[in-house]
Amino acid sequence: GNSVTQMEGPVTLSEEAFLTINCTYTATGYPSLFWYVQYPGEGLQLLLKATKADDKGSNKGFEATYRKETTSFHLEKGSVQVSDSAVYFCALSDITGGFKTIFGAGTRLFVKA
Amino acid sequence: EPEVTQTPSHQVTQMGQEVILRCVPISNHLYFYWYRQILGQKVEFLVSFYNNEISEKSEIFDDQFSVERPDGSNFTLKIRSTKLEDSAMYFCASLLAGETQYFGPGTRLLVL
């Protein structure tokens, strides 16, 4: 079945540091890939998405590229801010799974001033 | 922008009691879902619903759970006899086929 694996956290960075959160997936079909962000005590917010190979999703300085050859969708940001502290979930969805979303375990990011 | 809404935002109940969590999906969406997130853990799929019936359910979704779309707008999750381990955040989601799934803000359920 479909699955998502992402790097374990927590990840602690200083403000303005470069962020990478690794994510790889297993899927039988051609999934769409997503990154969601969850701030403390809040719900899930869609951060970015990519629907086909080589697509790059981007939002708020974050970006991720759909790499079919390595089955990866790593999240990057060039310069993190304290306000980026949150839990980040990599996820996939495809028609063979009835479009249900399969989430990774989440990676908690702490950004220090 | 249209959004998925959920009520209540928080629910506290006693073990063994029934709870109903409510969701109003986006009006033209066709697929509906419930997910669960135990505190500090990953978001887990519970059930999907399409064309007025369950299309898929996870092993978490046992006989204590049921879903219903009673009036064409609401989508409910009922837990018949709550257990302590049902304490979690419950997210509803909906989508139009092939598009992005929209998540509601969640209902935080605490079973005492």
Side-chain angles (χ1 to χ4, degrees):
Chain A
N2 295 347
S3 66
V4 175
T5 302
Q6 61 184 106
M7 63 187 284
E8 288 189 25
V11 173
T12 302
L13 296 173
S14 297
E15 208 165 24
E16 299 183 4
F18 184 86
L19 168 70
T20 300
I21 301 178
N22 290 336
C23 171
T24 57
Y25 68 90
T26 303
T28 51
Y30 299 94
S32 294
L33 303 175
F34 308 87
W35 278 99
Y36 286 87
V37 59
Q38 186 176 40
Y39 297 100
E42 296 188 12
L44 298 165
Q45 293 182 28
L46 178 64
L47 182 59
L48 53 85
K49 69 175 183 179
T51 57
K52 60 183 187 301
D54 300 325
D55 268 2
K56 178 186 282 190
S58 61
N59 185 25
K60 299 180 183 178
F62 291 90
E63 58 183 36
T65 302
Y66 190 143
R67 300 283 188 207
K68 192 167 185 290
E69 63 276 14
T70 54
T71 62
S72 65
F73 193 55
H74 304 320
L75 182 68
E76 296 181 336
K77 187 175 185 182
S79 175
V80 293
Q81 305 301 311
V82 172
S83 57
D84 293 327
S85 298
V87 180
Y88 292 81
F89 292 94
C90 185
L92 69 79
S93 168
D94 80 1
I95 190 169
T96 62
F99 301 114
K100 69 176 181 286
T101 302
I102 303 295
F103 289 86
T107 302
R108 184 174 295 277
L109 172 66
F110 292 105
V111 180
K112 303 179 296 184
Chain B
E1 186 175 318
E3 58 182 20
V4 177
T5 58
Q6 291 185 241
T7 53
S9 58
H10 294 79
Q11 173 106 34
V12 180
T13 190
Q14 297 291 324
M15 193 169 56
Q17 294 296 302
E18 174 184 286
V19 295
I20 297 176
L21 309 182
R22 291 184 167 79
C23 168
V24 179
I26 295 171
S27 61
N28 63 335
H29 282 190
L30 302 175
Y31 295 80
F32 312 106
Y33 306 83
W34 283 101
Y35 296 83
R36 179 182 84 174
Q37 183 184 31
I38 294 171
L39 187 64
Q41 298 187 24
K42 71 190 292 186
V43 181
E44 301 171 291
F45 166 76
L46 289 179
V47 66
S48 58
F49 192 86
Y50 170 72
N51 202 25
N52 281 320
E53 60 183 24
I54 290 174
S55 48
E56 186 178 351
K57 57 184 181 181
S58 72
E59 55 192 34
I60 302 168
F61 194 89
D62 62 22
D63 292 344
Q64 293 299 312
F65 291 89
S66 62
V67 289
E68 202 175 37
R69 190 157 156 79
D71 56 11
S73 62
N74 291 286
F75 179 51
T76 61
L77 175 69
K78 182 193 291 187
I79 309 175
R80 227 178 307 279
S81 176
T82 50
K83 302 189 283 280
L84 296 176
E85 54 266 37
D86 293 327
S87 295
M89 180 80 98
Y90 289 81
F91 294 104
C92 172
S94 70
L95 71 80
L96 200 53
E99 299 295 326
T100 303
Q101 203 163 103
Y102 286 78
F103 283 83
T107 293
R108 187 173 297 282
L109 175 66
L110 178 60
V111 182
L112 302 175

